[in-house]
Amino acid sequence: MKVQKRSNLVRETLDDQDFFKDFRYGWRSDVNNNGDDTTFPRIFFPASPEGTIDYKTKSFNTTIRLTFEDLQGIDNYGADVEKSQQEYWDELLDNGVKFIQNLNTKFKQNGMSILDTSSMRYDTNSNVANTRLIIAWFEFSIYGKLDCI
């Protein structure tokens, strides 16, 4: 499974929903270096995928960590937003779960799937990389057949 294909499926899933407004793929250190056109809430797909390849079964298993981000206390134009940290996390977690469910549908349509949809690791944080960024990330593994052998 090509890294570009997985990234494209995340982008397609983003285009099919209304909550998240933007998608970025890159290094975690680039979180603040994506230009002025970044719109929140957004999805950040960190570069440097890792996983395993099974040549016997011609399959792969890759760990993915999607980060769902928003600006805390302000909107995309700098206006104040009265919302608690817990409310932001609830929105990011709820919409993140929905997003991943829809992403898994796209994965299945493309010959792969999330290994265990009954249990995914997640975490929340705030003031990450800058004082206005609040995040919730999910980590899960996908399985699929190799298309190169």
Side-chain angles (χ1 to χ4, degrees):
M1 184 64 202
K2 305 288 187 226
V3 174
Q4 182 65 53
K5 180 67 174 173
R6 290 191 302 261
S7 179
N8 288 346
L9 291 174
V10 172
R11 167 62 75 186
E12 288 175 24
T13 305
L14 172 80
D15 292 341
D16 291 342
Q17 56 80 55
D18 295 326
F19 182 76
F20 295 104
K21 307 299 182 210
D22 203 358
F23 167 69
R24 299 297 171 157
Y25 179 88
W27 299 106
R28 198 63 223 157
S29 58
D30 294 337
V31 69
N32 290 323
N33 299 326
N34 285 319
D36 294 332
D37 62 338
T38 298
T39 307
F40 291 90
R42 73 174 181 186
I43 299 166
F44 191 83
F45 188 174
S48 189
E50 58 184 57
T52 58
I53 294 174
D54 185 330
Y55 288 104
K56 260 187 189 175
T57 62
K58 298 179 181 176
S59 64
F60 71 91
N61 179 337
T62 300
T63 300
I64 293 178
R65 179 183 284 191
L66 287 181
T67 305
F68 301 96
E69 306 172 332
D70 203 351
L71 295 174
Q72 185 175 351
I74 59 172
D75 67 11
N76 287 303
Y77 307 103
D80 289 340
V81 174
E82 293 297 323
K83 199 183 301 185
S84 71
Q85 193 172 46
Q86 294 85 352
E87 289 172 302
Y88 277 104
W89 281 331
D90 285 346
E91 281 184 350
L92 291 172
L93 290 169
D94 290 348
N95 286 287
V97 166
K98 289 176 194 172
F99 184 88
I100 291 169
Q101 289 171 336
N102 292 334
L103 178 60
N104 195 35
T105 299
K106 291 223 184 273
F107 282 159
K108 287 178 181 178
Q109 292 167 350
N110 286 272
M112 60 189 142
S113 67
I114 295 175
L115 281 176
D116 183 6
T117 55
S118 66
S119 175
M120 282 186 288
R121 185 164 184 250
Y122 79 92
D123 197 3
T124 56
N125 208 334
S126 62
N127 302 322
V128 179
N130 69 50
T131 58
R132 293 292 191 171
L133 196 61
I134 188 164
I135 68 168
W137 59 258
F138 288 87
E139 185 176 275
F140 51 91
S141 294
I142 61 169
Y143 167 87
K145 293 292 183 183
L146 290 171
D147 51 8
C148 59
I149 53 176

